[in-house]
Amino acid sequence: MSRTAGACLLCGADLVYYPESRPMECSICHRTFPSNACCQEGHFVCDECHEAMGLKAIQQFCTATKEQDPIAILQQVMEDPAIYMHGPEHHVLVGAALLTAYHNVTGALDLPRALEEMFQRGKQVPGGACGFWGCCGAGVSTGIFWSILTQTTPLSGKSWGDCNRMTARSLQAIGEIGGPRCCKRNSFTAVLTAVRALEEEMGIILPVAGPVVCHFQRENAQCLGRRCPYNPGHSRPQP
């Protein structure tokens, strides 16, 4: 089935979003969760079921690759059929790509342990947080990345502030582009923002080859087209 934006994973029908959450039974695991979305046919898929295969794809790729370009890691993982056009798996993918690239560039970091922590934290950011919480999970993922990198806790000093500034910086860049949401666009923006922050704050350069070009336009019914900085014919500079 196509990964087109807004398509139900079970039947392909468009999704319907509600301004207030309501109890819904997952059509896959049959557990009940509060949710703001189901498809026009009434199917609801919980975040855990939605992202299960995608998280496996992220883990397998990141633990095996020697790639140093975090955008290249993003794009290669995004090509896996288990990574849908939109979904909470991106809340893990952004931080995982950054941790993997950082490890491959510096040789530092216990990557398996760091990825495990990234998965545990990133999975807690629900789908739709961008619209319902006002904080895109891709942006939050950069703050998680920075926290893991610096071993920050709620009782830390300078690094506590740095982690919050990292998230804020990513959300600012994401918000300036505007909506509707696009997990691909937001992920690219978050990673590029973190790459710049790493160079400015730590002097660590993660290589990014040339301008970022998105190839997922046809899968996103709400694509901004030329207003997206990653569109091949974009009309605005990249973040």
Side-chain angles (χ1 to χ4, degrees):
M1 179 177 293
S2 170
R3 296 180 294 174
T4 301
C8 174
L9 301 189
L10 301 179
C11 71
D14 289 340
L15 298 184
V16 178
Y17 287 94
Y18 303 97
E20 297 180 356
S21 63
R22 58 192 67 183
M24 296 188 190
E25 179 182 315
C26 177
S27 300
I28 295 177
C29 69
H30 301 292
R31 291 178 292 171
T32 299
F33 302 88
S35 178
N36 296 76
C38 65
C39 84
Q40 293 177 335
E41 300 300 320
H43 297 128
F44 159 66
V45 178
C46 72
D47 282 355
E48 184 175 342
C49 290
H50 188 290
E51 67 188 3
M53 295 303 295
L55 295 183
K56 290 182 181 179
I58 296 169
Q59 184 177 43
Q60 290 173 354
F61 185 89
C62 288
T63 54
T65 186
K66 300 301 180 183
E67 177 62 65
Q68 297 182 341
D69 181 339
I71 292 293
I73 294 173
L74 270 187
Q75 291 176 319
Q76 291 179 68
V77 176
M78 286 174 175
E79 291 293 338
D80 192 293
I83 305 295
Y84 299 103
M85 180 63 219
H86 304 298
E89 57 269 29
H90 294 82
H91 305 166
V92 170
L93 176 56
V94 166
L98 287 164
L99 288 168
T100 302
Y102 177 91
H103 170 76
N104 290 342
V105 166
T106 66
L109 201 65
D110 183 335
L111 186 59
R113 291 186 62 181
L115 288 175
E116 180 180 359
E117 191 64 26
M118 183 68 237
F119 275 61
Q120 291 302 316
R121 299 185 195 184
K123 288 192 298 183
Q124 297 182 58
V125 184
C130 55
F132 295 122
W133 286 11
C135 56
C136 171
V140 173
S141 193
T142 63
I144 298 174
F145 154 72
W146 205 276
S147 173
I148 294 172
L149 191 63
T150 56
Q151 297 185 319
T152 296
T153 75
L155 299 182
S156 298
K158 180 181 182 301
S159 65
W160 182 94
D162 292 341
C163 293
N164 281 272
R165 288 192 300 110
M166 180 70 263
T167 302
R169 187 167 172 173
S170 294
L171 293 178
Q172 178 72 25
I174 289 169
E176 286 179 352
I177 298 174
R181 61 84 175 89
C182 173
C183 287
K184 302 301 188 277
R185 181 189 72 225
N186 294 350
S187 294
F188 293 145
T189 301
V191 166
L192 289 175
T193 304
V195 166
R196 285 196 301 275
L198 266 179
E199 182 175 1
E200 294 170 6
E201 301 291 335
M202 299 185 184
I204 296 171
I205 298 175
L206 302 185
V208 174
V212 180
V213 178
C214 178
H215 301 288
F216 295 93
Q217 297 92 337
R218 293 183 179 179
E219 298 180 24
N220 184 2
Q222 292 85 37
C223 178
L224 295 179
R226 291 176 60 86
R227 292 189 293 119
C228 174
Y230 313 111
N231 186 280
H234 69 87
S235 57
R236 59 184 296 167
Q238 297 193 354

